[in-house]
Each structure stands twice: as structure tokens, then as C-alpha cells.
Amino acid sequence: MPLRIFQRDAFALEPTTAIDFRNPTDGTVFSESLGNFEAITSNLPFIAQEGRRQYGNALDRVTAGMGEEGERFTRRADVAAYLPFSLHPLLVEGGRLGIVITNAWLGTDWGDAFYNLLGRYYDLKAVVTSGAGRWFQNSEVVTNILIMEKKVDPAQPNGDIKFVVLTRPLEELADEEAVQIAAAQIELGQTQNDTMTIRAISPSNLARFRQFGLGGNAQFSDCDWVLDLPLAPLKDLFTVRRGERRGMNALFYPRPGHGIEPEYIKPLAKSPTDFSRLRCPAAKEAFACSRTEVDLAARGHTGALNWIRRFKTPENMAKLGTNGLMWYEMKADTLTDLVMFINYGDRLFVGRVDPPAFADQRLVRLEPKGAVDIDLAHALLNSTISMFIIEGMGFGRGLGALDLNKDRIEDYMHILNPARLNQAGIDAIKTAFVPLLARDVLNVADELEQADRQRFDDAVIAAFALGMDRQRIYDALLSLVEIRQTALE
């Protein structure tokens, strides 16, 4: 029997593609058309953004084949995200496709576009992730397995999607019997041992979750309770902005002993590690000077002048030149009070800079709109409900960090609606929040064990009359954090 093994570009395959094989009995070459398949599986190598250039023409062809809808498929998408659409003609009607893809699709704009387009071509059956370490130890990329079925008609309604967490390492599922049992459990949507957890959700409910940015990562946990919460978009209360980005930290963030005059040094909030507590002063310094070198020399401000001349090279002047600013100038007059972060680690919180200070690009600034009660907003943003929403909006990187960005926070972050509270509820929440301000912020698992944290969350639940079990929220948050942190194993 000839072994029908061949090497071709996956994006160039069509049912009519002629493939040459060799007859093992006499060595003669024969040709067959590729045809159609009942099942296709793919585990192609991860391609970093810088490696996309060589696939440009192929990706353009795939996008063109999607019609007008394909125009919204962003160029930041993983190359593997194009595979389902490229391989679609190779499948028989009702045929199944299984691909390995980075988990970034769970918490990015391109992931949203990918999911929307997928629904036109396939009925997504299952999303499988690991709750027991990365599947590929030679890479920091965290991956999912997507199982989908080719639609007969684009208007065909989609069924429930199973979000599966494998709670045992793949090495323990290596023999054929274990694989068959695991596959049967996923197919039936029923678990019979401690191999996995399965959560099925309808497309209509998933659409409701996606309004909060929780259509991906959050679905691996019990999160139905979120849909009953009295939530308000964060952007209704705050203008969401990225911290300042100027480049060349060595110039703009001087280290101790710089000798610069105090009037050109501004307090700087730079990263989550600067916050030991929920409310604390800025821990770093930033260089902010709007005077010319001539003016500095006339004033005798040699500290700032010498600092500027230390970095004054044609290369730096060209690189840092920007409209309306001198090459060494950074505006630090926009002071920040509440901040979120684009890379959370093992702590989930919203910090308050006291007194307000300049914020770095790794922070997301929350500027109140109108008469916002900052004390109350700070408390609500640090409830465990908000912690869950923050965790659920992003996705876990290979080193265990939560990946978020300013746009995602702006578009999707919600907060318990303070307008739903009476004065008694406001006072109860603020009072219960005070003890949390007086101690260090702990990692999520330890934080949820603290008595003051539990009393605070109970006060929030009572003030909003949520009528729900606090432990259900805790279990959902812990399960997501544990999945993210298993990438370190």
C-alpha cells in the first residue's frame, strides 16, 4: 500500500491539487487529486509576527475568499487563524477540523473577528485548554485545540460550545485507551473522572458574555452569575487612557544620583510592582523639562542641562523628535489617580496613586468623568467581582502574565453600577474597604483567604442585594488564575 505522505504549503491546497506518490512495489510514480476529507487535523508550528511576511500573499488570498466580511480580519491575527478558512474547501459537508492555535484568540480584537467569521463556515464544537502546564515546553506560547464541523449552509444555527480544561498532563493521556475515554467525555459533554472539566454554553449566551469581553478565557469557569449583575461600562464613569510613552527610559526615568534640579523631577508610577498596597505614593521618578537649553544655562540649572547633554546625539535627537516637543521634553503635567495595568501577575487590583502622579505606558489611566465618587469607585474596582472580570477579559502568556491592553479595558471593562446603591450601601462598602487599604495586596489565592477581604466582598454583595454565594465568585476566579499560572509548570 503506497504511503500517501507529501509536503506542500497548507495554504496552497485545493481538492483538485495533483499530488505525486511512489508505488513501493516497483518504484513508479503515480498522481492523485487531493480530493476531500472527512477530518483534518493541524499542529503547525507557531509563527511569530516577524515571520508573517513570507505568508503575505497566501493570507491575502484567504482573506479575499471570505468576501467583504474578510476585510475585517485583522493583520495581527495568528497565521494559524487563517487555516480553517483555507482548508474549508477540502472538507466534505459535515467534516471536522481540529487545529492547535495560540490562546491569544481568547482575549484580543483579532480573536473576536476570528470567532465571528468562524461561525459562518463552521459549527465550533469544542475549545480545549490545559490546566496542567503548557503542551509545548520548548515554547512560551500557550495553546488551545479547536474542534469544528463544516457547515452545510452558512445560515445553519450553531450548537453549544464546550469549553474543556484538561486537568492532567498530556503525558498521562498518551495511551490509546486514555485518549478514547477523554475523546468520548468531550463528545458527550460528561466527565467521569478527574481528567477534565467541561462547560457547555449556547451561542446566544456567549454573545451576552462577549459584551463584557468574557466570551473567551472566562468560559473555562462557572461564570453564568456574571449575566445577572447590575453592571455599568467603566467608560461611562472614566475616560480610559494609556500612560505616557516617550521612549528611552534611561533619559526620561533617571536613576538615583542623577543630580537634576528638583523642579524637573516628577513622581512616576511605572509598574504593578510599584504598588505594595492598593493606595500608595508613586515609587519612581521621571525627568520632565520644558525649558530650552539656553534658558537652562541662563538660570544656572546645570543639573538638567548636563543630563540633557549626556544623551544629546544626532541619533537620539532624530529618534525622540516629535511635533510640539523638544527632543528631550516629556509632558508630565497629566496626573493620574486610579490606574489599571496591561500585564497583571499573581495580584489583581486597581491601584490608586496618592498623591496623583505621572503614569508610564504600562499603566492604564482612569480619568473620572464629572462628579465620580473616587473612593467608592476604587472600592468597587477592587471587589472580587471586578477581579474576575479583569482576569476573564485577558489571556495568559507563557510566563504566567495576564495579557490586556488599553483598548480592551476601554471597550469591555464593566463595574458594579454605583448608581444602584443607596447611601447606606455606599457607606457599608467604603467602611469595609478601609482595612484593605491598610495592608499589602496579596496574590489572588492568599487574598481570598483574608477575613477583611471576605467581609468586604460580603458588604458589596449585600449592598447590591445580589443574593449570591461569595464562594461561587471565589471559585470561578481561582480556577481562571490557576489555568493561567499552570503555564509556568
Side-chain angles (χ1 to χ4, degrees):
M1 177 70 69
L3 296 179
R4 286 167 169 78
I5 298 173
F6 64 94
Q7 181 176 331
R8 289 286 183 92
D9 181 351
F11 288 112
L13 298 177
E14 298 177 0
T16 57
T17 300
I19 307 295
D20 290 338
F21 300 105
R22 191 173 296 276
N23 191 317
T25 58
D26 58 14
T28 57
V29 175
F30 65 98
S31 180
E32 290 183 356
S33 295
L34 192 59
N36 297 94
F37 298 84
E38 293 185 359
I40 299 175
T41 61
S42 164
N43 178 21
L44 297 183
F46 172 72
I47 299 167
Q49 287 293 322
E50 56 267 22
R52 292 171 57 93
R53 296 186 188 91
Q54 61 182 303
Y55 294 93
N57 292 336
L59 302 188
D60 287 342
R61 288 197 303 272
V62 175
T63 303
M66 298 177 191
E68 294 182 1
E69 289 292 326
E71 294 176 4
R72 295 201 297 269
F73 204 55
T74 170
R75 279 291 187 175
R76 289 176 292 180
D78 179 25
V79 170
Y82 291 82
L83 280 175
F85 312 104
S86 178
L87 299 176
H88 185 264
L90 297 178
L91 284 166
V92 299
E93 292 184 353
R96 288 205 170 184
L97 173 66
I99 67 169
V100 175
I101 189 172
T102 67
N103 70 333
W105 79 279
L106 293 170
T108 55
D109 291 341
W110 74 255
D112 293 339
F114 171 70
Y115 173 81
N116 289 334
L117 283 166
L118 205 62
R120 293 176 53 203
Y121 295 83
Y122 294 95
D123 183 5
L124 181 60
K125 295 293 186 181
V127 181
V128 186
T129 197
S130 174
R134 293 196 310 275
W135 287 328
F136 304 101
Q137 295 301 319
N138 61 341
S139 170
E140 293 180 0
V141 177
V142 180
T143 51
N144 298 152
I145 300 172
L146 304 187
I147 308 297
M148 59 198 78
E149 190 171 283
K150 182 177 178 178
K151 283 187 172 184
V152 177
D153 180 353
Q156 171 187 334
N158 294 323
D160 288 357
I161 304 170
K162 298 164 190 166
F163 284 81
V164 183
V165 181
L166 298 184
T167 53
R168 291 168 56 190
L170 283 187
E171 293 79 6
E172 297 182 15
L173 302 174
D175 65 272
E176 185 175 351
E177 182 180 2
V179 169
Q180 292 291 345
I181 292 174
Q185 290 183 74
I186 294 174
E187 188 70 16
L188 295 172
Q190 299 175 355
T191 57
Q192 298 176 344
N193 50 36
D194 61 352
T195 303
M196 67 185 71
T197 64
I198 302 176
R199 166 181 158 79
I201 182 168
S202 66
S204 59
N205 271 346
L206 191 61
R208 295 175 64 195
F209 277 108
R210 294 180 71 201
Q211 298 176 51
F212 310 116
L214 303 178
N217 184 43
Q219 297 306 314
F220 292 112
S221 70
D222 165 28
C223 58
D224 290 336
W225 49 271
V226 173
L227 298 178
D228 297 323
L229 296 175
L231 298 173
L234 182 65
K235 61 186 177 183
D236 286 357
L237 301 172
F238 294 90
T239 299
V240 181
R241 301 187 189 278
R242 185 80 179 264
E244 296 298 326
R245 178 179 182 179
R246 195 63 176 87
M248 193 169 292
N249 287 356
L251 167 60
F252 294 108
Y253 301 157
R255 294 183 177 181
H258 46 69
I260 301 171
E261 288 78 13
E263 68 178 281
Y264 306 115
I265 295 297
K266 305 296 182 183
L268 165 71
K270 191 178 180 202
S271 71
T273 56
D274 291 346
F275 291 80
S276 59
R277 298 190 173 188
L278 293 174
R279 182 173 184 167
C280 58
K284 301 287 194 309
E285 294 181 338
F287 173 59
C289 176
S290 299
R291 292 196 169 107
T292 65
E293 294 178 70
V294 173
D295 191 8
L296 289 172
R299 293 172 181 267
H301 292 175
T302 57
L305 188 61
N306 290 337
W307 185 256
I308 292 169
R309 290 173 176 172
R310 179 176 174 179
F311 295 90
K312 190 174 184 179
T313 66
E315 294 79 12
N316 287 345
M317 294 172 69
K319 183 169 69 172
L320 296 174
T322 185
N323 292 335
L325 295 176
M326 293 175 285
W327 68 270
Y328 57 81
E329 184 178 2
M330 178 174 66
K331 295 290 187 182
D333 50 1
T334 302
L335 302 182
T336 298
D337 193 344
L338 297 182
V339 293
M340 296 180 67
F341 310 97
I342 60 173
N343 288 116
Y344 282 94
D346 58 1
R347 301 180 304 158
L348 294 173
F349 66 99
V350 174
R352 186 169 185 180
V353 190
D354 186 17
F358 172 71
D360 178 69
Q361 60 175 326
R362 285 179 285 185
L363 277 61
V364 176
R365 300 185 285 122
L366 306 182
E367 300 177 357
K369 294 181 176 180
V372 175
D373 186 335
I374 300 297
D375 292 333
L376 177 61
H378 189 215
L380 294 178
L381 284 166
N382 280 289
S383 68
T384 300
I385 288 173
S386 289
M387 292 164 65
F388 177 85
I389 294 174
I390 291 171
E391 180 72 31
M393 286 193 305
F395 64 95
R397 289 289 192 183
L399 296 178
L402 180 69
D403 194 293
L404 276 173
N405 58 58
K406 189 277 292 184
D407 291 342
R408 194 157 185 84
I409 291 172
E410 181 178 24
D411 293 340
Y412 296 115
M413 181 66 192
H414 281 65
I415 180 176
L416 287 166
N417 190 352
R420 301 286 291 271
L421 293 170
N422 57 30
Q423 191 58 49
I426 293 173
D427 294 341
I429 289 173
K430 287 183 177 180
T431 299
F433 188 55
V434 170
L436 276 66
L437 297 172
R439 63 166 174 82
D440 288 353
V441 183
L442 306 176
N443 67 61
V444 172
D446 290 340
E447 181 71 30
L448 299 186
E449 291 181 355
Q450 305 306 305
D452 57 0
R453 156 63 59 180
Q454 295 170 6
R455 285 191 293 269
F456 168 62
D457 285 325
D458 285 340
V460 172
I461 291 171
F464 282 94
L466 300 181
M468 62 184 302
D469 182 10
R470 164 171 46 84
Q471 194 58 46
R472 186 180 182 188
I473 306 171
Y474 284 18
D475 290 344
L477 175 59
L478 286 170
S479 67
L480 288 190
V481 173
E482 287 171 0
I483 292 171
R484 170 163 61 94
Q485 292 180 340
T486 58
L488 295 170
E489 298 177 0

